[in-house]
Amino acid sequence: MKIFIAFEGFCESFDISSDQTVQAIKLMIKDYFNIPLSEDKQGRQYLDLIYAGAILKDSWILADVGISVSSTIKCVVKEEDKPVLYIYNVVTQEKVPIEGSISLLATKVSLLKTLVTLKCGLPNSVYCFRTPEGREMYDCNTLNDYQLDIGSTLRLDVWDGWKEFLTGCLLGNKHIVQRFLSDEDSVLKYQKRVALYVAAFFGHLELTAWILKQGVSSYEAVGVHPYREWCQETHHPDITKCPVHAAAEAGQLIILKAFVNYSVLCLQCQNPEGKIPLNVCIKHKHKDCVQYLVTKMWSVVSYPNFSLPMKIYIKLKQWLLRAQNHIPTLKWFNQATVFRTRVGDTVIVDGFTKTKMTSKARIKAAGNKNYKLPNLTDQTPHEKNSCPLTVTKENQKLIKLKLPPL
């Protein structure tokens, strides 16, 4: 049976049998046209045969798909890039591919964190990366410093005791989040900011509304864990990102509306690059969000006797808040009050202290672990003298159990 193969402007005839597979024809075409096909860690080149607009699979037989004599089959060479790295997320137990060129390995770990945050929705201050050998990776180093190969799998670890809490945030389950909140006041405030960021990214409205009622603002930066407040030089630039920026990046229109209704100050909140939520939505091409934010930005705030443009109104509110926050500092005459860490608090420094980001689980046990139920076989002296098989109603009133002291 004679068929024609169209390849890059050429059309050549081939004599084949009707019981040949597509894979066998591909080998014939490769040898005839001297097509260099390759497959390595970076990607692969392969042939595709197209007939009547459909791609033929390698295991198909020509006669079974209705290819007759003098039919023309189109042949194309395709390239497929393999992911440079894989990230194993301990929280979701998923393997996230990171696309790009080999030049990504020459960049810093901080850039990889930025890419992963856009994919998984977790603030970069709650997790760290580990090499396949288990070494912790620091933001200031490049990926090549850890001798990574193309296609390597990195492990994403979170703070100890946070795995269950972050799972609740990703699911938008308010009850799970409440159950695994920290007992430390400073860590508790940080967890609420993290929960609002994650809820904004994934569009969990119920969790967002609950956290806003707790006093957390959408224009408040997530920041870093209290254990790392003294490590400003090694902080990632994205720690100043706010929940409203996460909602803008993900295109969560309902969350943006909730944030604006709660406080219009989020309209002028700037990210590390100096962009407001409107610019972020334009960058990520979220048309509905752009239309809504433009309408709000150019609206007017009306009062009984006068009206103010939204931009001027926001500037007045920001000036008022700065003045209110400045009052406690003047009252106590102590500039050191801006530091929240105190003597005896835990401080973690990269490379010097034992890490606390190993994704260890935190289990809250109900009740007192030392509590023991009373032994029901214990009897009073009156019971020991009586026969257990002949207990009257009067004796039952005298039976007393030994309860643990309150």
Side-chain angles (χ1 to χ4, degrees), residues 42 84 100-106 144 150:
Q42 299 183 25
V84 182
S101 61
I102 192 174
S103 60
L104 180 64
L105 297 178
N144 283 331
I150 297 177

Side-chain angles (χ1 to χ4, degrees), residues 45-64:
Q45 289 183 331
Y46 60 96
L47 292 178
D48 260 348
L49 299 183
I50 303 175
Y51 179 73
I55 298 177
L56 305 180
K57 294 184 178 180
D58 293 346
S59 59
W60 289 357
I61 299 175
L62 297 184
D64 296 341

Side-chain angles (χ1 to χ4, degrees), residues 309-370:
M310 180 61 71
K311 290 185 178 181
I312 297 179
Y313 174 78
I314 292 176
K315 289 182 179 180
L316 291 175
K317 290 281 290 184
Q318 290 175 342
W319 173 81
L320 179 61
L321 287 177
R322 284 195 299 267
Q324 291 176 346
N325 294 333
H326 194 56
I327 291 175
T329 305
L330 297 177
K331 181 179 179 180
W332 297 103
F333 297 98
N334 186 5
Q335 298 295 333
T337 56
V338 296
F339 297 104
R340 288 175 288 184
T341 50
R342 301 177 181 178
V343 176
D345 290 348
T346 304
V347 177
I348 295 179
V349 182
D350 291 341
F352 292 93
T353 54
K354 186 178 180 181
T355 180
K356 291 184 178 292
M357 301 181 75
T358 58
S359 304
K360 290 183 180 179
R362 176 191 177 190
I363 301 176
K364 281 192 173 183
N368 186 4
K369 295 181 179 179
N370 298 326

Side-chain angles (χ1 to χ4, degrees), residues 170-304:
L170 294 175
L171 297 175
N173 193 318
K174 181 178 68 174
H175 303 290
I176 296 179
V177 173
Q178 292 173 342
R179 180 184 177 188
F180 291 100
L181 289 174
S182 176
D183 299 328
E184 300 181 41
D185 185 58
S186 58
V187 178
L188 174 63
K189 294 179 180 178
Y190 173 62
Q191 282 185 326
K192 290 181 178 179
R193 297 196 298 269
V194 171
L196 184 59
Y197 185 99
V198 178
F201 187 88
F202 290 99
H204 301 312
L205 187 59
E206 182 182 1
L207 181 59
T208 298
W210 177 75
I211 300 175
L212 288 175
K213 291 180 181 179
Q214 301 298 311
V216 182
S217 302
S218 61
Y219 52 88
E220 184 179 1
V222 176
V224 296
H225 196 285
Y227 294 171
R228 293 186 54 82
E229 284 188 348
W230 290 82
C231 307
Q232 293 92 345
E233 295 181 358
T234 58
H235 286 169
H236 195 287
D238 287 347
I239 65 169
T240 58
K241 286 176 63 175
C242 306
V244 67
H245 298 136
E249 290 173 347
Q252 299 293 347
L253 179 59
I254 297 179
I255 302 299
L256 287 175
K257 289 182 178 180
F259 285 162
V260 174
N261 291 334
Y262 184 79
S263 177
V264 295
L265 295 180
C266 64
L267 293 173
Q268 289 291 344
C269 180
Q270 296 183 355
N271 66 357
E273 299 175 355
K275 295 181 179 180
I276 60 176
L278 176 60
N279 302 131
V280 176
C281 290
I282 293 174
K283 178 182 177 181
H284 291 83
K285 300 179 181 180
H286 300 307
K287 183 178 178 181
D288 295 340
C289 298
V290 171
Q291 292 176 347
Y292 171 75
L293 293 177
V294 167
T295 303
K296 286 296 181 180
M297 288 287 293
W298 273 266
S299 61
V300 176
V301 180
S302 300
Y303 287 93

